Amino acid sequence: MNEPLDVSETRAAYDSVATSYGEMLRGLMEEKPYDRAMLSAFAGQVLAAGNPVVLDAGCGTGRIAGHLATLGLEVSGVDLSPGMVEVARAEHPGLAFSVGSLEDLNLEAGSWGGIVAWYSLIHTPPERLGSVFASLAGGLAPGGFLLLAFQAGSGRRHIQHAYGHEISMHAYLLDPDTVEVQLEAAGLEVEARLLRAPDADERTPQAYLMARKSNSPAATK
Ligand SMILES: C[S@@+](CC[C@H](N)C(=O)[O-])C[C@H]1O[C@@H](n2cnc3c(N)ncnc32)[C@H](O)[C@@H]1O
């Protein structure tokens, strides 16, 4: 498969940090009340809409999938990095995880009650996000929800040290207004947005956007 170099770079980086990522972020949810609030709102909305089947897109070691499962959702995960998926399977043996790229997912149309992309689109060049959002929107059931989390800002960072390892990959800070426009172009309406100040372990404000696909299939792209 021909894939952009940045995708190979991201996969290699996460493969090399997977074990320490799992260890270092275990329990982090306890320290992030706004993360829990957005995930709880997402779970509540998805359950109320009647289709509890949810994809954790870019699931990493499965910490978000595991949390959503405790909130009553039927979650599975997909991630670019086989190393991260291996840790996810070990840490959450009751959930299904697979290896795949968000840029090449072939989701069954209209099948998912919700999709979460939690800090997993931060390595994708912004000019490629529109087609990812279109693909995720196509996979959502009518009335389904997409929840995104990402670092707010602008520009690209070269990451050379992370989770106790020397690596090389790039990450993008994203402008919530621009992301909202891209989501709307994909046929999703942003229902809720949170921008919070950085915690002590963060360098930038953190953004959360929850978008919904129309209940009327004819009205969506
Ligand atoms: C910062 S981690 C977040 C992992 C998890 N969502 C969490 O919050 O712990 C970013 C994850 O996104 C995955 N990722 C990056 N680009 C991806 C892509 N194109 N397709 C699927 N996963 C991707 C990486 O492999 C990595 O596991």
Side-chain angles (χ1 to χ4, degrees):
M1 181 178 78
N2 275 341
E3 66 179 14
L5 258 175
D6 60 270
V7 175
S8 315
E9 176 190 72
T10 302
R11 180 190 295 110
Y14 279 104
D15 276 347
S16 64
V17 305
T19 302
S20 34
Y21 186 102
E23 287 164 2
M24 292 171 81
L25 272 66
R26 192 174 297 129
L28 184 65
M29 190 66 72
E30 290 305 308
E31 300 166 26
K32 302 282 178 191
Y34 295 107
D35 287 21
R36 293 199 305 275
M38 287 306 290
L39 290 165
S40 171
F42 171 79
Q45 290 287 71
V46 169
L47 288 170
N51 178 354
V53 179
V54 164
L55 179 67
D56 183 356
C59 59
T61 55
R63 66 190 189 96
I64 302 304
H67 184 74
L68 291 174
T70 69
L71 299 177
L73 296 174
E74 295 171 22
V75 197
S76 55
V78 62
D79 197 275
L80 183 65
S81 154
M84 296 292 267
V85 167
E86 192 180 327
V87 175
R89 288 176 177 148
E91 295 208 357
H92 306 279
L95 302 180
F97 296 99
S98 59
V99 176
S101 172
L102 301 185
E103 296 192 73
D104 190 24
L105 270 187
N106 293 320
L107 295 176
E108 187 184 338
S111 58
W112 298 88
I115 300 176
V116 178
W118 199 259
Y119 295 98
S120 55
L121 289 171
I122 58 175
H123 305 291
T124 303
E127 65 274 14
R128 301 211 307 262
L129 286 179
S131 63
V132 176
F133 292 146
S135 150
L136 298 180
L140 282 175
F145 292 87
L146 174 66
L147 176 61
L148 305 179
F150 54 90
Q151 291 94 357
S154 62
R156 184 173 86 141
R157 289 187 291 158
H158 185 208
I159 302 172
Q160 294 173 284
H161 314 276
Y163 313 109
H165 293 262
E166 306 298 305
I167 56 167
S168 177
M169 68 176 169
H170 293 84
Y172 297 84
L173 303 173
L174 300 172
D175 170 18
D177 287 339
T178 305
V179 174
E180 181 161 343
V181 169
Q182 289 178 304
L183 290 169
E184 283 172 3
L188 301 172
E189 186 178 349
V190 173
E191 269 203 358
R193 169 207 279 237
L194 173 67
L195 186 67
R196 69 163 173 82
D199 287 338
D201 61 333
E202 298 162 345
R203 282 186 283 176
T204 63
Q206 308 292 305
Y208 309 80
L209 293 184
M210 185 146 78
R212 189 170 198 186
K213 184 167 172 173
S214 167
N215 251 315
S216 151
T220 60
K221 290 186 179 174

